[in-house]
Amino acid sequence: MSKKIAAATLTYGDRLNFLCQSIDQLLEQKFIHIYVYCNGISLTNYQKLREKYKQPQLFFLYSEENLGSAGGYNELLQHIVKHDNAEYILLLDDDNLIPVDCYETISNLTINNDELYYFHRPDRALPKIATELKKPEYVLGSPNSFLGRDLFSLIRKQSPSYLGDLAAAPYGGLLLSREALSTGVLPIKELYLYADDYEYTYRLVSQYSFKLIFSEAILIEDLEKSFHLQKGIKLLNNRYSNASDLQLYYSVRNNTWLGLKRNQSIVLFILNMAFFSTIFSLQFIFSLKIKKTKIFIKAIRDGFALNKTINN
């Protein structure tokens, strides 16, 4: 039986070269509606998109201000809940390219009401590794870890139990059901950028008992490689060595906050933070990236401040 499936994508500034490829591929398929949230793009480029694409199933939303992924997906999902009756929504980043049989493949899947799907993006290895290891939490790190690293992984309480393959997943490649949308759960706007997708899906899994299923039924291509996938000399580099100042700040701030939220032992979390933040800082210093050290330390401090703001 055919499913009513919509697709939605969010822009991250002016990246029309990627976005148009993504839209063109979506329009080749039978999605009942396609939503493009133009997040922080110039009015000129927004008008170009409106002039280029006139298809009735395609809807554009616009924010002159860049709300980040958290704010953008928050607004986009609210709009879909109010104005769309699709059974499923496929979320995509603006540089995600779906295969030609994407709609048909999803339509033929048997999906239970309590299931969410994450479709594999080969450039993102963690979800596949987590599934193969049968360790759903591998995508987040152990509860007391700092930025996914844990000196005390063997000294821990019983691991949380998850019903699906993953404890969390990115937006791009995520298939949300109407049941998930009906919970009222939305990304937290204050996170702005980075880790907001994992926090959002983690809430659906941990608080609402959704099963997050990893699937290779379709493979989604990333047209642009993420900053943390770019390689350097291993000894002097870490996952943030090639990050912009903005990427470094929000990723570290938000992951610090998420660590404070998830930890089972604040003492072990702080010890991990002290050890690994020293390692990261020394890597920045020895590679002559002094500015990154300052941003890194500020981001950790602001993660603690954010913990008080959001929780209160």
Side-chain angles (χ1 to χ4, degrees):
M1 181 178 176
S2 181
K3 297 179 176 66
K4 294 167 67 175
I5 308 169
T9 188
L10 177 80
T11 69
Y12 298 95
D14 287 306
R15 308 205 305 175
L16 294 194
N17 55 326
F18 296 136
L19 179 62
C20 289
Q21 292 181 67
S22 180
I23 293 174
D24 290 343
Q25 191 68 285
L26 287 167
L27 287 169
E28 291 292 321
Q29 304 188 37
K30 297 179 181 178
F31 294 100
I32 61 168
H33 298 126
I34 300 167
Y35 296 91
V36 179
Y37 194 102
C38 297
N39 181 39
I41 73 172
S42 66
L43 186 58
T44 299
N45 280 336
Y46 174 65
Q47 291 170 339
K48 286 180 181 179
L49 287 171
R50 296 298 301 264
E51 292 169 3
K52 178 179 175 68
Y53 296 105
K54 304 287 189 180
Q55 290 83 352
Q57 74 272 37
L58 181 57
F59 298 89
F60 289 99
L61 292 83
Y62 179 69
S63 172
E64 183 178 1
E65 176 188 0
N66 192 330
L67 302 175
S69 54
Y73 274 114
N74 181 298
E75 296 286 334
L76 177 55
L77 292 177
Q78 285 194 69
H79 179 88
I80 290 171
V81 168
K82 291 178 183 177
H83 301 287
D84 201 291
N85 64 349
E87 298 170 282
Y88 301 95
I89 309 294
L90 177 64
L91 301 187
L92 297 166
D93 292 338
D94 61 357
D95 66 337
N96 287 164
L97 197 63
I98 61 171
V100 294
D101 61 346
C102 179
Y103 177 89
E104 182 180 355
T105 301
I106 295 175
S107 190
N108 289 329
L109 290 173
T110 299
I111 304 174
N112 295 322
N113 290 338
D114 62 346
E115 291 179 340
L116 311 175
Y117 268 66
Y118 171 72
F119 296 108
H120 185 39
R121 293 158 60 186
D123 275 357
R124 304 296 180 103
L126 280 182
K128 182 177 174 67
I129 295 172
T131 303
E132 291 173 344
L133 293 175
K134 300 186 184 305
K135 294 182 178 180
E137 211 169 44
Y138 187 82
V139 293
L140 293 169
S142 57
N144 300 318
S145 63
F146 175 71
L147 302 181
R149 292 154 176 80
D150 188 359
L151 287 169
F152 312 101
S153 57
L154 299 178
I155 309 173
R156 56 186 297 190
K157 299 177 183 178
Q158 185 176 359
S159 299
S161 178
Y162 300 96
L163 299 174
D165 300 318
L166 303 172
Y171 295 124
L174 180 66
L175 185 72
L176 290 173
S177 62
R178 174 57 59 176
E179 287 76 14
L181 293 174
S182 297
T183 63
V185 173
L186 293 166
I188 297 173
K189 286 185 175 184
E190 290 86 347
L191 295 181
Y192 186 67
L193 194 67
Y194 297 113
D196 51 294
D197 48 359
Y198 278 71
E199 190 282 331
Y200 167 63
T201 49
Y202 177 69
R203 245 185 308 144
L204 287 171
V205 168
S206 62
Q207 296 182 22
Y208 293 84
S209 301
F210 282 96
K211 301 174 186 175
L212 186 44
I213 308 300
F214 173 84
S215 175
E216 294 183 271
I218 62 173
L219 300 180
I220 297 176
E221 179 185 355
D222 283 279
L223 297 174
E224 181 178 57
K225 192 175 289 293
S226 181
F227 71 87
H228 64 269
L229 300 177
Q230 300 171 26
K231 304 299 182 182
I233 301 172
K234 192 168 184 180
L235 181 62
L236 297 180
N237 283 268
N238 56 57
R239 63 175 299 173
Y240 299 111
S241 295
N242 296 307
S244 68
D245 293 349
L246 181 144
Q247 290 168 335
L248 169 62
Y249 174 77
Y250 282 107
S251 181
V252 173
R253 186 198 70 163
N254 292 350
N255 277 293
T256 299
W257 169 78
L258 188 56
L260 288 167
K261 179 181 176 181
R262 293 180 58 237
N263 77 83
Q264 294 176 338
S265 168
I266 189 62
V267 173
L268 295 183
F269 174 77
I270 294 295
L271 288 172
N272 277 318
M273 184 186 71
F275 180 81
F276 289 109
S277 63
T278 300
I279 297 298
F280 276 49
S281 296
L282 288 173
Q283 287 174 320
F284 289 139
I285 291 169
F286 287 136
S287 58
L288 303 180
K289 297 176 179 178
I290 307 303
K291 184 181 178 183
K292 284 188 181 294
T293 307
K294 296 177 180 178
I295 296 171
F296 182 74
I297 294 170
K298 175 176 170 51
I300 294 172
R301 290 174 177 167
D302 288 353
F304 277 80
L306 188 66
N307 188 50
K308 296 178 181 178
T309 302
I310 291 180
N311 288 343
N312 293 333

